[in-house]
Amino acid sequence: MPSALETATRAIRREDLQYMVVPVEDLPPVLAGFGEGRHGELDNETMAAQGFPGSTTETVAATGRIAGYLREFVTPLNAGLDLPDLDLMAATVVHLFEDSEQVARWMRDKFLGEFKEFVGQELGKGQKLVRADELKVEGYSDEAVGLHTSQMTESGLVSSTVVDLRVGRLLGVAYVVTTGEVVRMDTVAEMGLTLERRIVQVVLGAI
């Protein structure tokens, strides 16, 4: 039987997602000074364009994904990728699906599955996925998975530390992009827990 919280997510609409992503004042202290980057809705066409080779609007829609919202923050430093261990970007995203099982399949098949599948392959635009390692995550109220990836770009090597978490038919994502081969699990875990709390607050009408 679905939990009360999962049942409550059935009333969530795409316009509610913008209130769930983490605002700048709630970022971890290590990201103090980061400024506003991209923010806005993520439709299935955009997700397909930003996805792995072969992804289409139709294949994304077939997963049960309805809509999403992104809020991104960027480093205040005017620096290139030649500085080691530099956090370049931090972001949270919330995706709305038709049901909670589709969220779980996305986490398993699209997120973990596709990253592992494309290791060693060219992704286009001068990017190559070098590695994708699953990370242990704890402390979330529902299913959650973590991943550390490294990509070679035209400007150098960058790493992404990512947590995906489920709240009913909502998928929350928190990530940090860093120069070099760096894992930022503590920072991303903190962002993920903040994101989970905000999602629950919106679902319950507290925000």
Side-chain angles (χ1 to χ4, degrees):
M1 179 180 295
S3 67
L5 180 60
E6 180 176 341
T7 300
T9 64
R10 295 174 183 169
I12 291 297
R13 304 163 298 173
R14 64 177 65 211
E15 53 264 37
D16 299 321
L17 305 182
Q18 62 185 305
Y19 304 109
M20 299 177 180
V21 290
V22 177
V24 66
E25 61 268 22
D26 288 342
L27 290 177
V30 295
L31 301 176
F34 269 49
E36 190 84 32
R38 297 176 300 162
H39 64 277
E41 295 183 7
L42 288 176
D43 58 22
N44 286 342
E45 183 178 2
T46 302
M47 287 294 294
Q50 296 177 352
F52 286 104
S55 182
T56 67
T57 304
E58 290 73 24
T59 59
V60 174
T63 65
R65 184 186 184 275
I66 298 170
Y69 196 93
L70 161 76
R71 184 167 296 281
E72 175 187 278
F73 301 97
V74 296
T75 178
L77 300 178
N78 184 17
L81 298 185
D82 54 329
L83 290 180
D85 301 352
L86 173 66
D87 293 331
L88 299 172
M89 179 193 309
T92 54
V93 190
V94 180
H95 305 274
L96 178 65
F97 285 78
E98 293 174 3
D99 62 53
S100 60
E101 180 53 36
Q102 291 169 333
V103 176
R105 284 200 296 269
W106 177 285
M107 294 165 67
R108 181 179 62 248
D109 299 337
K110 294 287 287 182
F111 178 53
L112 295 179
E114 288 191 349
F115 267 104
K116 292 178 181 179
E117 176 186 349
F118 279 88
V119 169
Q121 298 191 39
E122 302 288 342
L123 304 180
K125 299 181 180 179
Q127 298 189 34
K128 181 179 181 179
L129 183 60
V130 178
R131 62 186 300 169
D133 300 318
E134 191 169 350
L135 300 173
K136 183 179 180 180
V137 295
E138 297 177 324
Y140 296 93
S141 61
D142 197 346
E143 185 174 356
V145 295
L147 193 68
H148 173 252
T149 71
S150 298
Q151 292 180 211
M152 184 59 67
T153 72
E154 293 177 343
S155 301
L157 185 70
V158 297
S159 294
S160 298
T161 307
V162 192
V163 166
D164 274 19
L165 60 101
R166 181 174 68 170
V167 180
R169 67 186 189 121
L170 295 163
L171 169 65
V173 183
Y175 64 87
V176 171
V177 179
T178 310
T179 60
E181 190 74 63
V182 182
V183 179
R184 287 287 194 254
M185 195 62 212
D186 289 347
T187 302
V188 173
E190 184 176 346
M191 290 171 59
L193 290 170
T194 301
L195 176 62
E196 183 182 58
R197 286 194 298 269
R198 289 188 63 89
I199 290 173
V200 171
Q201 289 172 332
V202 173
V203 170
L204 299 181
I207 293 182

